[in-house]
């Protein structure tokens, strides 16, 4: 079912999780170990992230180096199929522009359509690890809005090859990314939201937000989006803090504020268990506040910490 239909049909808040494909060479069992306990909460969706290939230098026997491309976390499409098969839950693959030609994207969309996938999250992707700025694939897309356009074309039965005249129409419900504290490359929130609006006007159906640790950022963002005429559902992104390292990594990598109260509580902790306790309580309070404010969805970034999210949901539901 499309996410938007789920939202309109549901009488209570829906739960969803985001997972990462395992590193290449690892078993899919590690992903099942993350999801198994969380299935108790009957999620409506599981999002599966997409990861672009990286360029690395490998030493040859003659001591020279060769540049090779490796994809550390392949398998998004296969993982979506496994999740749907094993848990009977909708999987939402993330699609990125970075590293992909339009043709590769079209072929991936055809695969997803054959699999019965109803929803996709259309993203630009970040700059490659060895690049300062995002550089599009020579035959690919520069912005997520271009990817949205391509998906809409396919939904209208228009394929890249002109010879396909009566192409089957896909029917993807399209999500796009939103940033309550603005995207790191944006000069200000209004410019960022105007670009978000373009994605919606092109046909995107809902927005999934970057994580935030202060709900007021999310509420302000919804208000700003509505003022700019964006009226689609906006889903909150929720993540537990589980280490002191994250206090500096999260702001640097995601341009997200760690509120002073949370920072102070975490830095007082003497061990990992105490940090997880603080992180769990903070997330629980965020969720309670979102539900009090009639938020229709709780979307969790699970990564490798399902236990904290499990404890939050056990106390919440
Ligand atoms: P865009 O919408 O293209 O925006 C990128 C920047 O360009 C913004 O600053 C925007 O304001 C600006 N902009 C947009 N359109 C235009 C235009 N036409 N002209 C000029 N400027 C413009 N990354 C992954 O690699 N894999 C994932 O699975 C993944 N999942 C994510 C899930 C969520 C919920 C979120 C919030 C992010 C995710 N990301 C993922 C990260 C995302 O790819 C990065 O944040 C990326 O830098 C921006 O992606 P976007 O889709 O928002 O890009």
């Amino acid at each position: 079912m499309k996410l938007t239909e789920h939202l309109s049909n549901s009488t209570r808040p829906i739960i969803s999780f985001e997972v990462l494909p395992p590193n290449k060479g690892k078993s899919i069992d590690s992903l099942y170990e993350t999801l198994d306990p969380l299935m108790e909460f009957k999620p409506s969706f599981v999002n599966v992230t997409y990861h672009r290939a990286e360029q690395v230098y490998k030493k040859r026997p003659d001591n020279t180096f060769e540049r090779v491309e490796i994809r550390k976390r392949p398998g998004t499409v296969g993982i979506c199929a496994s999740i749907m098969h094993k848990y009977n839950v909708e999987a939402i693959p993330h699609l990125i522009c970075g590293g992909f030609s339009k043709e590769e994207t079209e072929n991936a969309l055809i695969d997803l359509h054959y699999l019965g996938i109803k929803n996709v999250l259309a993203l630009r992707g970040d700059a490659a690890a060895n690049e300062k700025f995002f550089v599009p694939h020579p035959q690919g897309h520069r912005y997520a809005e271009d990817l949205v356009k391509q998906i809409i074309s396919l939904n209208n039965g228009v394929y890249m090859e002109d010879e396909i005249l009566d192409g089957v129409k896909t029917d993807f419900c399209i999500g796009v990314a939103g940033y309550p504290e603005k995207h790191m490359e944006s000069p200000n929130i209004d410019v960022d939201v105007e670009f978000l609006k373009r994605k919606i006007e092109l046909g995107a159906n809902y927005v999934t937000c970057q994580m935030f640790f202060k709900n007021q950022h999310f509420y302000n963002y919804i208000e700003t989006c509505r003022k700019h005429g964006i009226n689609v559902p906006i889903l909150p992104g929720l993540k537990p803090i589980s280490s002191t390292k994250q206090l500096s990594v999260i702001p640097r990598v995601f341009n997200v504020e760690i509120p002073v109260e949370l920072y102070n509580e975490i830095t007082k902790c003497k061990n990992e268990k105490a940090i997880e306790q603080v992180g769990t309580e903070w997330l629980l309070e965020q969720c309670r506040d979102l539900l009090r404010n009639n938020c229709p969805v709780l979307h969790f970034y699970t990564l490798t910490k399902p236990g904290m999210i499990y404890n939050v949901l056990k106390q919440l539901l």
Side-chain angles (χ1 to χ4, degrees):
M1 196 190 283
K2 291 183 178 178
L3 185 140
T4 43
E5 289 166 357
H6 239 292
L7 277 178
S8 356
N9 295 345
S10 185
T11 48
R12 53 197 187 102
I14 65 174
I15 304 294
S16 60
F17 302 115
E18 179 188 286
V19 295
L20 270 68
N23 277 317
K24 191 185 266 189
K26 298 277 179 216
S27 157
I28 194 169
D29 289 345
S30 59
L31 193 141
Y32 295 152
E33 277 160 26
T34 297
L35 281 177
D36 281 349
L38 296 174
M39 285 301 142
E40 180 181 328
F41 306 107
K42 301 193 170 24
S44 303
F45 300 95
V46 175
N47 281 52
V48 184
T49 57
Y50 216 113
H51 299 265
R52 68 182 294 172
E54 291 173 32
Q55 310 276 343
V56 294
Y57 288 90
K58 278 202 168 164
K59 210 171 185 177
R60 294 194 185 111
D62 65 357
N63 279 343
T64 60
F65 286 88
E66 83 176 303
R67 200 165 81 158
V68 291
E69 212 179 59
I70 53 161
R71 191 178 296 281
K72 285 189 181 160
R73 293 181 187 271
T76 299
V77 177
I79 289 169
C80 285
S82 312
I83 287 173
M84 293 196 304
H85 179 69
K86 184 171 162 69
Y87 299 111
N88 194 22
V89 63
E90 297 279 349
I92 305 187
H94 293 190
L95 287 176
I96 57 171
C97 306
F100 292 92
S101 69
K102 291 173 201 163
E103 198 192 345
E104 286 166 331
T105 298
E106 183 171 280
N107 292 338
L109 286 164
I110 292 169
D111 276 346
L112 295 172
H113 177 64
Y114 288 156
L115 263 179
I117 298 265
K118 293 277 176 245
N119 307 276
V120 290
L121 190 66
L123 302 146
R124 185 194 72 179
D126 284 320
N130 57 332
E131 286 167 353
K132 273 199 170 163
F133 301 101
F134 177 81
V135 179
H137 184 286
Q139 282 87 44
H141 297 303
R142 175 169 289 276
Y143 294 111
E145 67 172 49
D146 306 315
L147 177 55
V148 171
K149 270 187 223 160
Q150 183 175 16
I151 303 169
I152 293 290
S153 288
L154 224 57
N155 278 353
N156 290 323
V158 179
Y159 289 69
M160 287 178 67
E161 288 163 42
D162 297 340
E163 299 79 52
I164 302 176
L165 293 179
D166 193 17
V168 69
K169 293 180 181 175
T170 58
D171 187 24
F172 292 113
C173 171
I174 307 169
V176 290
Y179 303 85
E181 296 168 69
K182 89 168 186 65
H183 184 256
M184 66 190 83
E185 295 164 28
S186 269
N188 58 60
I189 192 78
D190 288 298
V191 168
D192 204 24
V193 168
E194 273 303 307
F195 284 126
L196 175 66
K197 190 178 173 186
R198 281 165 65 142
K199 297 189 270 191
I200 306 301
E201 284 174 345
L202 284 164
N205 306 96
Y206 70 95
V207 179
T208 303
C209 283
Q210 182 59 277
M211 72 187 86
F212 54 85
F213 296 94
K214 208 186 210 176
N215 287 359
Q216 198 53 48
H217 288 308
F218 179 63
Y219 301 140
N220 293 347
Y221 187 62
I222 293 183
E223 205 182 312
T224 309
C225 288
R226 301 304 181 224
K227 269 191 201 148
H228 281 254
I230 297 172
N231 292 312
V232 297
I234 302 179
L235 282 49
L238 297 159
K239 180 183 161 79
I241 292 269
S242 56
S243 72
T244 43
K245 202 173 148 199
Q246 288 174 311
L247 299 177
S248 56
V249 171
I250 288 177
R252 180 167 52 79
V253 176
F254 300 103
N255 190 44
V256 164
E257 179 195 355
I258 306 289
V260 68
E261 303 85 345
L262 177 59
Y263 177 89
N264 287 344
E265 287 302 313
I266 297 273
T267 47
K268 266 192 248 159
C269 292
K270 298 270 182 288
N271 54 43
E272 203 179 302
K273 197 164 168 245
I275 296 173
E276 289 196 4
Q277 183 61 33
V278 171
T280 302
E281 277 164 21
W282 188 271
L283 183 59
L284 178 60
E285 212 25 69
Q286 273 194 283
C287 293
R288 285 187 172 137
D289 181 68
L290 286 165
L291 295 183
R292 276 195 298 270
N293 284 281
N294 302 318
C295 181
V297 188
L298 298 175
H299 178 64
F300 295 94
Y301 298 116
T302 54
L303 298 173
T304 50
K305 290 287 173 190
M308 292 176 75
I309 293 168
Y310 181 90
N311 289 336
V312 166
L313 286 171
K314 203 70 189 160
Q315 293 179 71
L316 193 67
L317 302 176

